[in-house]
Amino acid sequence: MSLISVVVPVYQNEGSLADLLPRLVAASQRSPQDSFEYLFVDDGSRDGSLDLLRSLAKEDARVKIIKLSRNFGSWAAILAGLFYARGEAAVTI
């Protein structure tokens, strides 16, 4: 079984995060031979994104959170996620 890392840069996405994880999980279930990890990289959000991510991580062990110290931009957030990805393959959204 191979591991696939899904890297998600997050900046001020409190309103959409709760809907995103169930969609990612549903999409990943189409590949039963693979397992997934979901790396959410908080890029200095000032809304409730980080709190929501922490809640999601408590509910699903596949959810990992990387918190950047400030807003560096989406490319830096993606690179941080790729650096910490453990999968044999990684995808970004």
Side-chain angles (χ1 to χ4, degrees):
M1 182 180 310
S2 59
L3 178 66
I4 297 173
S5 300
V6 180
V7 177
V8 183
V10 175
Y11 181 70
Q12 312 285 71
N13 296 108
E14 178 182 15
S16 62
L17 287 173
D19 293 333
L20 179 60
L21 184 60
R23 290 179 181 194
L24 289 173
V25 169
S28 66
Q29 289 175 344
R30 296 181 190 146
S31 299
Q33 72 276 12
D34 295 318
S35 60
F36 289 79
E37 70 174 350
Y38 307 104
L39 294 152
F40 290 89
V41 184
D42 182 70
D43 190 21
S45 296
R46 290 186 226 141
D47 63 356
S49 294
L50 184 59
D51 292 332
L52 184 52
L53 289 172
R54 287 178 176 148
S55 175
L56 294 173
K58 286 181 183 177
E59 296 172 14
D60 191 331
R62 297 171 296 182
V63 173
K64 310 296 182 210
I65 304 166
I66 300 164
K67 175 162 180 15
L68 301 182
S69 62
R70 63 175 179 83
N71 180 259
F72 289 94
S74 61
W75 289 110
I78 289 169
L79 286 174
L82 292 174
F83 180 80
Y84 284 100
R86 296 178 303 126
E88 288 82 29
V91 295
T92 63
I93 63 165

